[in-house]
Amino acid sequence: MKVALLTAAGTASRMHQDIPKQFIHVDNKPIILHTMEAFQRHPGIDAMIVVTLPSWSDVLWAYARQFNMTKLRWVVAGGESGQESIRRGLEALKEELSYDDVILVHDGNRPLVSAEVISDSLATFSKFGSAVAVVPCTEVVFESEDGRSSCTSMEREKVFRTQTPHTYRFGELVQAHEQAKILGIQNTAASCVLMKELGKTVYFSKGSEENLKITTLEDLRIFKALLSTREDAWIKRQPGQDGGVQRGDRQYG
């Protein structure tokens, strides 16, 4: 079984809005529904679980019925951090999944994840046993201690920005979170960081510049613009134009 675990428990503190960002409406539906639709449409995904704010669970179920999200099987209350929210989602699935089932952890506020990105994640997982969507860094990157100045730059050819989905065997990810609890590892920014902290190698799958994470109002404006562009059928898209990387040939550990 292949299950998408969507994290949607943020409070939109950086957006300063009255409702959580994942429930802000764009084109007459909340952002989280745009994300869910991507996994609903993908033939390789069997089911979805959404980890969200407790007070919004009933609202999410109502939206799922309205938009016919038939793959949604579970809605779970999130925690105080992303790591805790993912752990709670995994806990809810312990009686439902086996060790070798596949879990794709994805940010609920990355609504433009494409079928190609999801498929490449599954293909990379099938080959290497894990997959983290990444895009190569095209800007010059500096390292700074004070956030104001620097005399140290990094080779951008060696720098990759991670996105989601992060795809693992269900049992392996459960064990990673159990081990993190024993070792006192907390508040890791993403599953791939937790795996790195535990000494696991991370294998890269194809990401996309369009697979943006909506965190600020600027991100929201970009999302709306990209939605509009996707509807312009006359625009030709060239191979590799989305800024992705070839799957399976890069890793770090």
Side-chain angles (χ1 to χ4, degrees):
M1 193 178 210
K2 298 179 180 65
V3 177
L5 189 160
L6 308 181
T7 56
T11 58
S13 58
R14 280 176 281 187
M15 275 197 177
H16 306 290
Q17 301 300 301
D18 294 329
I19 64 173
K21 58 181 173 290
Q22 59 270 29
F23 290 98
I24 293 174
H25 277 234
V26 177
D27 280 7
N28 298 315
K29 72 183 71 168
I31 289 171
I32 183 61
L33 262 293
H34 286 276
T35 308
M36 292 169 66
E37 282 182 338
F39 292 92
Q40 174 73 29
R41 291 191 298 262
H42 197 284
I45 302 301
D46 300 305
M48 288 184 282
I49 178 172
V50 178
V51 184
T52 192
L53 299 163
S55 58
W56 286 82
S57 294
D58 291 341
V59 175
L60 182 62
W61 277 117
Y63 279 130
R65 289 189 292 269
Q66 178 183 352
F67 290 96
N68 199 31
M69 296 292 104
T70 58
K71 290 183 181 180
L72 180 64
R73 296 268 300 274
W74 310 273
V75 176
V76 179
E80 294 297 318
S81 66
Q83 180 178 322
E84 176 63 15
S85 291
I86 294 170
R87 188 192 67 78
R88 289 189 180 189
L90 296 172
E91 287 288 329
L93 296 174
K94 277 187 174 181
E95 301 300 320
E96 307 286 342
L97 303 183
S98 67
Y99 184 96
D100 287 324
D101 282 327
V102 181
I103 195 88
L104 295 87
V105 180
H106 186 71
D107 298 317
N109 56 336
R110 286 189 190 269
L112 289 176
V113 60
S114 67
E116 182 182 11
V117 167
I118 296 170
S119 294
D120 201 77
S121 185
L122 291 170
T124 301
F125 167 82
S126 180
K127 186 174 182 180
F128 295 105
S130 71
V132 173
V134 304
V135 290
C137 186
T138 57
E139 299 89 355
V140 175
V141 179
F142 278 85
E143 186 176 352
S144 175
E145 295 293 336
D146 58 14
R148 297 188 302 270
S149 62
S150 175
C151 59
T152 305
S153 63
M154 304 174 68
E155 295 182 54
R156 63 184 179 183
E157 293 80 8
K158 296 182 179 180
V159 179
F160 294 83
R161 295 183 285 117
T162 65
Q163 302 179 333
T164 59
H166 301 164
T167 303
Y168 297 97
R169 285 185 179 84
F170 172 72
E172 185 176 6
L173 194 54
V174 168
Q175 289 178 351
H177 278 267
E178 291 173 347
Q179 192 173 357
K181 189 173 182 179
I182 294 171
L183 297 174
I185 300 173
Q186 299 178 346
N187 299 324
T188 54
S191 296
C192 60
V193 177
L194 174 58
M195 288 300 199
K196 179 191 75 75
E197 291 293 318
L198 295 174
K200 304 289 186 180
T201 296
V202 176
Y203 291 92
F204 293 168
S205 63
K206 181 182 179 66
S208 169
E209 293 290 355
E210 289 189 2
N211 186 25
L212 82 161
K213 185 177 183 179
I214 299 176
T215 304
T216 65
L217 288 174
E218 287 79 7
D219 298 329
L220 187 60
R221 296 185 188 103
I222 293 170
F223 172 45
K224 290 181 178 181
L226 287 171
L227 274 181
S228 176
T229 301
R230 281 188 168 190
E231 294 171 359
D232 293 336
W234 58 270
I235 295 179
K236 293 183 179 180
R237 298 175 65 84
Q238 300 298 323
Q241 203 172 41
D242 58 2
V245 296
Q246 297 298 314
R247 82 174 148 82
D249 60 350
R250 297 183 183 273
Q251 67 185 59
Y252 69 82

